[in-house]
Amino acid sequence: MKKIPQRTCVICHSKFDKRDLLRIVSDKSGEIFFDSTGKANGRGAYVCTSEACVDQFLNKNYLERAFKRKVDKEVVDAVRQQLMEKVKMNK
């Protein structure tokens, strides 16, 4: 049986199967985006699909903390839009 990788939500610190989490990526060029495939190159931050965790991740500068740099408001808004669409689809 193949082992399923585990990842930790950066907000609630609960462990989940990697495929059950939302992944936000910062690639080499510095672009930050929601990775729907879970396979994009770059540093990833994982958030569980609970609305409370997604809200806290986007509203409390966790993007900046996760990637250790300043993130423009437009980028945060774009990631918020992508994550909210994904969370609504999972309901």
Side-chain angles (χ1 to χ4, degrees):
M1 191 166 98
K2 190 171 182 180
K3 187 176 176 194
I4 299 168
Q6 297 279 297
R7 296 292 182 267
T8 303
C9 173
V10 295
I11 305 300
C12 65
H13 303 290
S14 299
K15 287 202 179 281
F16 296 91
D17 291 348
K18 181 179 172 184
R19 66 175 173 243
D20 294 337
L21 292 168
L22 304 170
R23 182 173 188 243
I24 295 84
V25 177
S26 174
D27 65 12
K28 281 187 175 145
S29 67
E31 184 182 354
I32 294 175
F33 57 94
F34 168 63
D35 175 19
S36 58
T37 66
K39 296 178 181 171
N41 287 330
R43 180 170 181 80
Y46 294 87
V47 182
C48 67
T49 55
S50 91
E51 281 192 50
C53 284
V54 172
D55 282 345
Q56 191 172 343
F57 182 75
L58 294 168
N59 294 331
K60 299 218 170 143
N61 290 338
Y62 274 90
L63 261 177
E64 293 185 0
R65 277 189 229 172
F67 300 121
K68 298 181 174 92
R69 63 188 175 91
K70 189 87 176 112
V71 179
D72 291 338
K73 185 178 183 334
E74 295 80 35
V75 173
V76 174
D77 291 342
V79 171
R80 176 189 320 273
Q81 187 70 36
Q82 295 166 334
L83 288 179
M84 287 304 171
E85 286 172 15
K86 181 70 175 170
V87 168
K88 285 179 182 143
M89 280 181 11
N90 287 346
K91 283 190 172 183

